Amino acid sequence: MRYLSILLSIAALVPGTVIAGQLPEPGEIVDKAIAAVGGDGLAKLEVLRLAVSEDKTQNDGQASSNNYTAYVDMAGLKSMRLELAGGVVLGRTGDDAWATNQGVFDERPQTPYMAGGTLNQTLFPILLPYSLKMDGVWVKEVGEIEWEGRPAWTLLIPFVKGFFVSPVLTTTWRIVVAKDDYSILGVDFLPPVDLRDVQFMGIRYRILKYDDIEGARIPSQVLAIGINFEGYESGATRITRIQPTAYGPWEAGLFVSPVRLEALEGE
């Protein structure tokens, strides 16, 4: 029954050839995927700074762009910060997520939930494979498939409510990892069944380029393509270009809530 579940899960996303064989543990594949991009160099990175630009094209040809800056503590991926347009800043250390707008602390009760989910859904796709180690990411099943002529492992991750802020993303994601070199060949998901009347496409991510930072390879160009319910790609695209740099040691002023930081300084 377990193998049947894996086959059905894969077939629901994209047609492919399933290969029979003994399946490794999920953690083994994740560790090898991270090692394949120089995961040993992460300890040298400390805080990583990402200058990000996005160019999006809809199916109807309409185009838009977006820019933001992110800071990520690569030691455990527990501290993150996003600096968005309009003076909005989102941050998190551990489970303590917060936001400011034009320097004013956002005290609304829903803000920690919204800020934490936005951080996750923004940074998870562009930090692969490292983000497979983020808190809340759980690989439920491993499968096998032939992906564009290459034998590959598939990792199925059922994201639960609260990890992402968007309900469209709160579904099972598939990570396709090449068997030969453990590179990430593709990442995709379809919207939850109960939302497909309003959300007509899923998304497939492809990492197009990496930059080498202190011996670790960090994605520097990620393509997101719309896919239909049969898993075939459509015309909607988003190109995310990332300029990663090593920022330096962890700083409380980057990641700790301003209110908490003020209280700590007072003490």
Side-chain angles (χ1 to χ4, degrees), residues 56-74:
K56 185 176 182 179
T57 303
Q58 305 278 14
N59 277 327
D60 60 6
Q62 292 188 4
S64 60
S65 60
N66 181 40
N67 298 280
Y68 58 88
T69 302
Y71 297 85
V72 182
D73 181 15
M74 298 303 288

Side-chain angles (χ1 to χ4, degrees), residues 2-3 6 19-32 139-145 152-156 177-179 182:
R2 181 169 178 266
Y3 283 98
I6 293 170
I19 308 167
Q22 186 176 0
L23 302 178
E25 291 297 318
E28 178 185 346
I29 298 174
V30 170
D31 289 343
K32 288 184 177 180
V139 180
K140 181 181 181 181
E141 295 179 351
V142 174
E144 295 178 282
I145 195 171
W153 303 113
T154 57
L155 306 177
L156 300 183
V177 182
K179 284 188 175 184
Y182 286 88

Side-chain angles (χ1 to χ4, degrees), residues 182-264:
Y182 286 88
S183 60
I184 302 290
L185 301 180
V187 178
D188 54 22
F189 68 87
L190 296 176
V193 174
D194 58 343
L195 294 179
R196 294 185 185 182
D197 289 340
V198 293
Q199 178 63 37
F200 305 109
M201 290 192 304
I203 296 177
R204 175 170 297 137
Y205 298 92
R206 296 177 183 269
I207 302 173
L208 303 182
K209 293 176 63 178
Y210 290 86
D211 279 2
D212 192 294
I213 307 294
E214 300 290 342
R217 298 173 65 215
I218 307 296
S220 59
Q221 191 172 115
V222 179
L223 173 65
I225 314 169
I227 57 174
N228 63 20
F229 296 153
E230 286 72 44
Y232 295 104
E233 297 177 358
S234 71
T237 60
R238 181 176 72 242
I239 288 282
T240 301
R241 296 178 176 86
I242 306 132
Q243 294 181 342
T245 55
Y247 177 81
W250 186 93
E251 294 179 4
L254 278 178
F255 303 113
V256 177
S257 159
V259 171
R260 184 181 174 194
L261 187 61
E262 184 178 355
L264 291 172

Side-chain angles (χ1 to χ4, degrees), residues 98 124 171 210:
W98 52 271
F124 176 79
T171 184
Y210 290 86

Side-chain angles (χ1 to χ4, degrees), residues 65-110:
S65 60
N66 181 40
N67 298 280
Y68 58 88
T69 302
Y71 297 85
V72 182
D73 181 15
M74 298 303 288
L77 302 175
K78 296 181 183 297
S79 295
M80 298 180 171
R81 177 187 177 100
L82 278 180
E83 297 176 354
L84 306 173
V88 175
V89 177
L90 311 177
R92 179 177 65 211
T93 298
D95 295 328
D96 184 17
W98 52 271
T100 61
N101 190 348
Q102 300 290 340
V104 178
F105 186 75
D106 191 336
E107 298 180 347
R108 293 176 296 173
Q110 68 269 32

